[in-house]
């Protein structure tokens, strides 16, 4: 089941398939194209290799506090209602825009003088992630759940902070011509980490179990999460061995209110000025477009446990094969958006995402069926990839280049806020009504999305400066 993290891969797909801007003057000489060997050599440059490992560090924590954690908690006997509420840990990613201006501008005592503004925040966030993962490992949720939750919150906030600092680090590390290569290597590292944190952690936990013993074994999960914490050293060593990028000048603010206005108020005001009353429809669509996927995704891993799927089966089918299908869907969605238009593919993605949840309702009637699981994961992740690619392209088209970073961060955070909050009640719904009814209900949540897409598609485009 794809979650909001799949949007990163979709963004790369949308970027990779977007048409390049052409010159508006007929007299401009065409830019000579470098030979293929020189073009591909960019992926071996130090900046690209750094983004590969830093992308790995960025992708590692997400599943460890969301999907993988829910699998662990369900195996430990935690009830589904509680697991649903604990998914609110992921709201840290939805609110990261709140403290992003601090990460962008505020120096850290001692660390900033030693490493620079970007690397100091990267190092601090990575240390917080490692400490949080180690804390989760040394606490058994069956014995005491609260310490695991607090450590998961530390990981989520550290991960969201790392995302903020890493976006700035990537943009400032190379010129415009090299940004596509940095984005590609970043996404490669990110997806490898998603496989390691999804399939790898289940594989490690399965092999760390005591032979002959049955049922839940905390020692196996402790080993797996300690290995995940150690895996963050890939990013930490990269930060320590990297150069601080050239600092971009920051316009001084005369007071706090002026700083807040430029960082948060002006980007919103620009959007409302350009779209006026249409902004209400657009914001409503952003808020609910991924609601079917996000609400359903929280209960996916508990569903696998309750249906009797083993760690190895879940790792292979949903965490490795599923990631591949999501990437395929992202590239298909990007290509379709170029040929058919973003709004048509946005509608297609909304229909497919809601409909694929009905397949989970069907799977819930079959018990332990690996063949059925493969079929459902294929359809669901392909649909999620198509929807994400179209949605990323749509959000990108809404932004004003003057406020692109802030507006895009606000939009991408807004798309998670309502779905993540509603997903917190998913476990309670399953406990009351069962899995098939839950999956059908999440599909019905997609019906208002279809209406909003139809209404927004009829709007006239607002002028963009």
């Amino acid at each position: 089941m794809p979650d909001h993290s799949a949007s990163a891969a979709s963004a790369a797909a949308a970027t990779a398939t977007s048409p390049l801007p052409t010159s508006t003057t007929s007299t401009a000489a065409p830019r000579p194209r470098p030979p293929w060997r020189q073009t591909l050599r960019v992926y071996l440059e130090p900046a690209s290799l750094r983004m590969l490992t830093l992308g790995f560090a960025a992708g590692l924590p997400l599943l460890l506090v969301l999907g993988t954690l829910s699998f662990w908690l369900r195996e430990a006997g935690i009830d589904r209602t509680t697991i649903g509420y604990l998914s609110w840990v992921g709201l840290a990613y939805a609110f990261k825009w709140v403290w992003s201006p601090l990460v962008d501008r505020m120096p850290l005592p001692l660390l900033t003088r030693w490493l620079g503004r970007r690397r100091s925040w990267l190092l601090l966030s990575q240390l917080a992630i490692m400490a949080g993962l180690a804390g989760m490992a040394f606490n058994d949720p069956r014995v005491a759940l609260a310490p695991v939750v607090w450590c998961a919150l530390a990981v989520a906030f550290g991960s969201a902070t790392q995302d903020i600092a890493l976006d700035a680090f990537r943009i400032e590390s190379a010129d415009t011509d090299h940004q596509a290569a940095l984005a590609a290597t970043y996404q490669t590292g990110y997806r490898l980490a998603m496989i390691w944190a999804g399939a790898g952690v289940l594989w490690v936990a399965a092999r760390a179990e005591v032979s002959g013993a049955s049922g839940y074994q905390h020692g196996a999960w402790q080993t797996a999460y300690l290995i995940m914490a150690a895996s963050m050293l890939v990013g930490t060593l990269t930060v320590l061995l990297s150069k601080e990028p050239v600092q971009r000048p920051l316009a001084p603010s005369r007071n706090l209110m002026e700083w807040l206005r430029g960082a948060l108020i002006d980007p919103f005001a620009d959007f409302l000025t350009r779209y006026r009353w249409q902004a209400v429809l657009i914001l409503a669509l952003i808020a609910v477009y991924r609601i079917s996927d996000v609400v359903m995704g929280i209960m996916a891993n508990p569903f696998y446990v309750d249906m009797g799927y083993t760690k190895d089966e879940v790792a292979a089918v949903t965490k490795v094969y599923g990631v591949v299908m999501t990437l395929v869907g992202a590239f298909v969605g990007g290509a379709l958006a170029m040929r058919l238009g973003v709004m048509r593919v946005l509608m297609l993605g909304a229909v497919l995402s809601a409909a694929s949840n009905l397949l989970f309702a069907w799977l819930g009637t079959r018990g332990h069926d690996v063949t059925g699981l493969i079929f459902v994961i294929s359809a669901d992740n392909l649909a999620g990839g198509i929807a994400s690619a179209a949605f990323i392209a749509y959000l990108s088209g809404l932004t004003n280049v003057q406020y692109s970073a802030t507006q895009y961060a606000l939009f991408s955070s807004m798309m998670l806020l309502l779905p993540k909050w509603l997903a917190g009640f998913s476990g309670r719904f399953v406990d009351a009504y069962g899995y098939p009814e839950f999956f059908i209900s999440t599909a019905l949540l997609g019906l208002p999305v279809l209406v909003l897409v139809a209404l927004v598609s009829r709007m006239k485009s607002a002028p963009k400066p």
Side-chain angles (χ1 to χ4, degrees):
M1 176 63 208
D3 50 38
H4 69 272
S5 63
S7 63
S10 304
T15 301
T17 55
S18 296
L20 296 174
T22 58
S23 175
T24 57
T25 59
S26 58
T27 58
R31 189 174 182 178
R33 295 182 180 181
W36 275 107
R37 179 178 298 180
Q38 181 180 342
T39 301
L40 296 177
R41 193 178 299 164
V42 69
Y43 292 106
L44 298 179
E45 293 180 357
S48 298
L49 296 177
R50 281 196 297 268
M51 293 316 303
L52 178 69
T53 55
L54 289 174
F56 181 89
L60 188 71
L62 185 64
L63 288 181
L64 297 176
V65 295
L66 293 174
T68 302
L69 178 60
S70 66
F71 192 105
W72 176 12
L73 295 178
R74 188 56 183 158
E75 190 174 82
I78 306 301
D79 63 273
R80 290 176 293 233
T81 297
T82 301
I83 293 174
Y85 290 144
L86 291 182
S87 70
W88 285 337
V89 167
L91 287 173
Y93 296 94
F95 282 102
K96 65 183 181 181
W97 58 271
V98 174
W99 67 94
S100 61
L102 296 178
V103 177
D104 194 30
R105 293 172 176 262
M106 189 177 76
L108 296 172
L110 300 179
L111 280 179
T112 298
R113 181 176 298 179
W114 174 38
L115 297 172
R117 181 149 42 103
R118 302 309 181 197
R119 291 195 300 153
S120 61
W121 277 102
L122 282 173
L123 181 64
L124 178 65
S125 60
Q126 289 171 353
L127 292 177
I129 292 169
M130 285 191 285
L133 290 175
M136 293 173 69
F138 285 111
N139 287 280
D140 187 348
R142 178 173 284 185
V143 177
L145 182 58
V148 176
V149 176
W150 285 112
C151 290
L153 277 171
V155 174
F157 276 101
S159 176
T161 303
Q162 179 184 226
D163 289 347
I164 298 168
L166 188 50
D167 284 340
F169 184 90
R170 182 181 71 250
I171 293 170
E172 296 171 1
S173 293
D175 56 30
T176 304
D177 291 340
H178 288 76
Q179 286 300 322
L182 295 190
T185 52
Y186 172 85
Q187 293 301 329
T188 301
Y190 196 99
R191 303 317 296 186
L192 290 174
M194 294 284 286
I195 293 174
W196 180 233
V201 70
L202 296 179
W203 185 86
V204 171
R207 275 135 194 86
E209 291 176 343
V210 177
S211 180
S214 60
Y216 170 70
Q217 298 182 33
H218 173 251
W221 286 103
Q222 182 181 80
T223 300
Y225 265 70
L226 286 176
I227 289 177
M228 294 298 117
S231 299
M232 281 298 299
L233 289 172
V234 172
T236 302
L237 291 175
T238 302
V239 170
L240 294 175
L241 297 175
S242 298
K243 292 182 179 181
E244 177 75 359
V246 177
Q247 297 294 300
R248 58 183 175 88
L250 297 175
S253 299
R254 289 174 294 182
N255 51 56
L256 178 62
M257 289 304 299
E258 183 178 335
W259 182 77
L260 289 175
R261 184 173 64 250
L264 295 176
I265 299 176
D266 287 350
F268 263 128
D270 166 80
F271 175 76
L272 294 175
T273 300
R274 286 188 291 121
Y275 288 97
R276 300 184 182 276
W277 67 268
Q278 297 176 342
V280 177
L281 283 177
I282 295 172
L283 294 176
L285 176 60
I286 293 173
V288 301
Y289 186 74
R290 299 311 307 275
I291 195 167
S292 293
D293 277 350
V294 174
V295 174
M296 195 283 272
I298 298 301
M299 283 294 109
N301 280 290
F303 171 72
Y304 302 144
V305 174
D306 292 341
M307 292 296 104
Y309 295 105
T310 66
K311 294 185 182 71
D312 286 339
E313 289 170 343
V314 174
V317 177
T318 71
K319 309 302 182 182
V320 178
Y321 176 71
V323 168
V324 173
M325 292 304 297
T326 299
L327 289 173
V328 171
F331 280 98
V332 170
L336 288 176
M338 288 181 61
R339 297 187 64 85
L340 304 178
V342 171
M343 296 309 299
R344 290 181 179 178
V345 182
L346 204 66
M347 177 65 81
L348 175 64
V351 172
L352 294 178
S353 295
S356 65
N357 286 10
L358 298 177
L359 295 178
F360 276 90
W362 167 79
L363 187 63
T365 65
R366 300 183 62 82
H368 182 266
D369 182 357
V370 177
T371 302
L373 179 64
I374 294 173
F375 169 71
V376 172
I377 291 298
S378 298
D380 187 61
N381 284 262
L382 188 66
I386 292 173
S388 292
F391 195 44
I392 293 299
Y394 177 67
L395 293 184
S396 300
L398 294 175
T399 59
N400 179 349
V401 292
Q402 184 178 355
Y403 306 107
S404 58
T406 302
Q407 287 184 348
Y408 189 86
L410 291 171
F411 292 154
S412 60
S413 297
M414 185 180 297
M415 78 177 185
L416 296 175
L417 188 57
L418 177 61
K420 280 291 182 185
W421 176 80
L422 189 60
F425 302 99
S426 58
R428 187 172 182 178
F429 189 100
V430 172
D431 284 338
Y433 301 103
Y435 281 115
E437 290 78 9
F438 169 70
F439 294 135
I440 293 172
S441 298
T442 59
L444 295 177
L445 286 175
L447 294 179
V449 178
L450 304 181
V451 176
L452 286 171
V453 173
L455 292 175
V456 170
S457 64
R458 298 188 179 198
M459 290 169 28
K460 294 182 179 180
S461 299
K464 291 177 63 175

